Amino acid sequence: GKVEDSFDAINVLTGYKDYTILEYSSVEQTEYAYNQLSQLKNINVFPDSVVYVSETADQDNTTTETASVGSHYTWGAGEDYINVDPYLNYISNNQDKTVAVAVLDTGIDTDHMMFTNRFLRDSNNQIVGARFLGDGSSSLEDDRGHGTHVAGTICDLTPSNVKILPIKVLGSDGKGTWAYVLSALEYVINLTEYDIVAVNMSLSGDNYTNAKIQFDEKFTSIKNTHNALSIVAAGNDSRNTSNNLPAC
């Protein structure tokens, strides 16, 4: 809902579809504003939190050479692991309509060879995508590499009718906020003109109850609107997923 009183916030950022981020100079002021806003009708309020890209330590700020494994670039694609080729042969012969996977991540390298003819495009042949970082930029380019890695894996293991819908919610440091991610999910929900079959979020942060409620609502809306799967990272740190949002 619309916030009429910011309770002396030092920064106010208005986001997509009435999402508002309020920043305060102290924990005490934050708690006071939270308590006041929680009493208002038609406003859902939760403590925003930093969300991190889900990657292993050796992925962090490193560059590796692309190496093929049989006919694929993705480790584990072959018959010793998930044996993806029989699936690809079947699905390529039985489905030809354009569908999309939304990738909420660090953006995407739009010039990478893996994405030739693999972006979801609008009627003007422009890439369909969005950026939710609150910095005024509209660039979808990946300045970390993780979103490109995730989208590349999806393209490598799916037929060409599956297109990528890139949504940048994490910056070059691999961080964003829950408000960015929730705004991105609302954006996906409203893309009713496209056949979106999955929303991928290889990211995680701390589980706040009120934020979890927001995610439950968004995942339900994505299912009802697009009949799409919401796919989330379990994490790489052997933590109980009840502590990780959105995996919880």
Side-chain angles (χ1 to χ4, degrees):
K2 189 174 181 181
V3 177
E4 300 290 347
D5 188 343
S6 68
F7 297 98
D8 298 322
I10 59 174
N11 280 309
V12 178
L13 179 64
T14 302
Y16 185 73
K17 295 291 183 180
D18 284 336
Y19 275 103
T20 302
I21 303 173
L22 305 175
E23 180 183 359
Y24 297 90
S25 58
S26 69
V27 173
E28 291 75 19
Q29 286 181 302
T30 305
E31 291 177 342
Y32 172 77
Y34 175 80
N35 290 331
Q36 294 298 313
L37 289 166
S38 296
Q39 298 175 32
L40 301 178
K41 295 181 179 180
N42 302 319
I43 290 182
N44 293 314
V45 57
F46 60 92
D48 203 6
S49 177
V50 175
V51 55
Y52 302 87
V53 65
S54 183
E55 61 187 359
T56 57
D58 59 357
Q59 282 181 305
D60 193 12
N61 292 321
T62 63
T63 301
T64 58
E65 294 296 322
T66 301
S68 62
V69 182
S71 60
H72 298 280
Y73 293 100
T74 301
W75 179 90
E79 60 184 17
D80 290 339
Y81 294 95
I82 65 173
N83 198 18
V84 73
D85 287 321
Y87 157 75
L88 288 177
N89 291 335
Y90 169 79
I91 202 71
S92 296
N93 293 325
N94 289 278
Q95 183 159 348
D96 56 6
K97 68 176 182 177
T98 296
V99 299
V101 176
V103 179
L104 279 59
D105 215 290
T106 60
I108 197 163
D109 180 354
T110 58
D111 295 323
H112 198 288
M113 61 91 177
M114 288 290 291
F115 308 126
T116 302
N117 298 322
R118 296 301 297 267
F119 286 117
L120 182 66
R121 294 183 179 272
D122 62 19
S123 58
N124 295 317
N125 202 36
Q126 298 298 308
I127 296 174
V128 179
R131 178 187 179 111
F132 293 96
L133 284 179
D135 55 5
S137 173
S138 60
S139 174
L140 300 175
E141 294 300 326
D142 187 355
D143 39 22
R144 185 174 183 94
H146 188 267
T148 299
H149 158 71
V150 170
T153 300
I154 294 169
C155 286
D156 190 25
L157 303 182
T158 57
S160 60
N161 64 296
V162 178
K163 309 300 183 183
I164 299 296
L165 165 59
I167 306 178
K168 187 165 183 172
V169 296
L170 304 172
S172 59
D173 57 358
K175 299 177 182 179
T177 76
W178 286 134
Y180 298 157
V181 180
L182 288 166
S183 294
L185 292 174
E186 185 67 23
Y187 168 76
V188 172
I189 291 166
N190 284 280
L191 289 176
T192 54
E193 66 269 42
Y194 301 108
D195 190 352
I196 299 170
V197 294
V199 182
N200 191 88
M201 289 156 281
S202 294
L203 47 81
S204 66
D206 291 331
N207 174 17
Y208 287 114
T209 300
N210 285 9
K212 182 180 182 298
I213 293 171
Q214 297 287 310
F215 275 91
D216 287 341
E217 292 176 353
K218 292 290 182 287
F219 291 162
T220 299
S221 294
I222 287 170
K223 177 67 174 177
N224 292 339
T225 304
H226 295 289
N227 195 28
L229 293 172
S230 296
I231 301 169
V232 302
N236 298 316
D237 302 316
S238 300
R239 297 178 66 193
N240 189 317
T241 54
S242 64
N243 299 320
N244 290 345
L245 188 66
C248 61

